[in-house]
Amino acid sequence: MLRVFKLFIIITLIVIFFGFAFANQVKTHITVWKNMKYEIAMYYNLSPYIMDMNFLTNKIYVANPWNNSVDVINAKNDEIIAQTAVGEIPYALSVNPVTNFIYVANYDSDSISIINGKNGHVVSSISLNKIPYAIAVDSITNKMYIVNPWDNCVSILDGQTDSIINTVSVGLVPDAIAVNPFTDMIYVANAESGTISVINGLNNKVVKTLDVGNWPSSIVVNDITNMIYVINNGDEMTIINGDSNVIFKVLRLGEGIKYIFQTLVIMLLLS
């Protein structure tokens, strides 16, 4: 009887653990099986998900995948002042504060919508023939770097001509990107490869590939210190020194709740 009770407790703990882990995805995400080559699922959030800010104009831009629009918020009085229609499932956007243009990656339209920040109107729509998943702007060179996860590449958009000028092959399923405009280096997180591709913006070449662990999904650059921070699904943060493009340090993150469940299960099994 005691053994049955222990087994019941163990199963309950496992169900609770995985329930917490997947609850948000079940509620707010849709699985997209657009490329069976890798036999993986990509998720996009249908709630307002991505935003960026032009600190010079004090306006915030929020992508709304559900109704294919971008909300414009005046940060002076915290009010929505406009809503701009874009392509289907706008899933990422980035602002060039210097030119005051906003670049929106439309997941289902395979396109980029360009919004003029002065009047909030779409001035151009660029077809990629690839699915855009993330986008980053180099405000100094006025180039946009667009991640295409199913084609394992990054498309480069010239803000002067509003045209794609190059495509750079990276690792498998790139899903996040960041730029340091002062060094003209671009950092791409390749989820399935578990790597970071470092692209030199001067010649659009991958100059280094770094192993960073399981499924890197978020990346940010400190422009001043030239340090790059990568989070992966293995509960790790990898810190990269941008001067040498080598891994400086690895931090373990968010392990508390996971190890509580693991400890409880182990204790029950050993008791």
Side-chain angles (χ1 to χ4, degrees):
M1 185 67 182
L2 181 59
R3 185 174 298 178
V4 174
F5 178 72
K6 287 181 181 178
L7 181 61
F8 172 76
I9 295 297
I10 291 170
I11 293 173
T12 301
L13 287 171
I14 292 172
V15 170
I16 292 172
F17 175 72
F18 283 102
F20 279 125
F22 294 106
N24 288 334
Q25 286 184 345
V26 170
K27 290 179 181 178
T28 63
H29 293 73
I30 289 181
T31 306
V32 183
W33 298 94
K34 287 201 172 183
N35 190 332
M36 297 301 293
K37 179 179 178 181
Y38 303 112
E39 297 181 353
I40 63 168
M42 296 291 283
Y43 301 94
Y44 55 68
N45 192 343
L46 293 183
S47 301
Y49 178 64
I50 291 291
M51 65 178 174
D52 200 2
M53 182 175 189
N54 188 333
F55 58 89
L56 296 178
T57 63
N58 207 18
K59 291 180 181 177
I60 300 168
Y61 299 86
V62 182
N64 301 305
W66 184 256
N67 67 353
N68 304 325
S69 69
V70 171
D71 282 332
V72 184
I73 299 172
N74 185 344
K76 293 179 181 178
N77 54 18
D78 298 326
E79 292 184 356
I80 297 174
I81 57 175
Q83 187 175 86
T84 302
V86 290
E88 295 182 14
I89 313 296
Y91 193 65
L93 59 77
S94 191
V95 174
N96 187 334
V98 177
T99 62
N100 198 18
F101 281 91
I102 301 89
Y103 298 84
V104 185
N106 304 305
Y107 191 98
D108 270 10
S109 297
D110 299 351
S111 66
I112 301 294
S113 295
I114 303 175
I115 300 173
N116 187 333
K118 293 181 180 179
N119 54 27
H121 296 161
V122 173
V123 295
S124 182
S125 182
I126 300 169
S127 179
L128 295 175
N129 295 319
K130 296 177 178 64
I131 297 173
Y133 191 76
I135 185 169
V137 169
D138 188 325
S139 58
I140 293 178
T141 63
N142 196 20
K143 291 179 182 176
M144 276 50 68
Y145 296 88
I146 305 154
V147 166
N148 309 302
W150 302 123
D151 294 275
N152 303 320
C153 67
V154 173
S155 299
I156 303 174
L157 172 65
D158 187 343
Q160 296 290 337
T161 61
D162 290 342
S163 61
I164 301 297
I165 57 173
N166 211 329
T167 301
V168 181
S169 296
V170 291
L172 298 180
V173 193
D175 67 346
I177 190 167
V179 175
N180 189 333
F182 298 121
T183 62
D184 202 11
M185 303 296 282
I186 302 93
Y187 299 87
V188 185
N190 305 303
E192 189 166 316
S193 298
T195 60
I196 298 296
S197 296
V198 184
I199 301 173
N200 187 332
L202 292 175
N203 55 21
N204 300 322
K205 302 287 186 182
V206 175
V207 295
K208 198 159 190 179
T209 301
L210 301 169
D211 292 321
V212 293
N214 179 43
W215 207 269
S217 57
S218 183
I219 184 167
V220 65
V221 173
N222 186 324
D223 301 343
I224 307 302
T225 63
N226 198 22
M227 302 296 282
I228 301 89
Y229 302 86
V230 183
I231 292 179
N232 65 32
N233 284 357
D235 300 325
E236 292 178 344
M237 172 184 282
T238 302
I239 304 173
I240 301 168
N241 186 331
D243 294 332
S244 56
N245 287 320
V246 298
I247 294 175
F248 170 72
K249 193 174 184 179
V250 177
L251 302 177
R252 298 292 294 176
L253 305 172
E255 297 177 324
I257 189 68
K258 179 174 70 175
Y259 282 106
I260 288 173
F261 278 102
Q262 288 180 351
T263 303
L264 287 172
V265 171
I266 291 171
M267 288 174 64
L268 284 166
L269 287 173
L270 294 177
S271 63

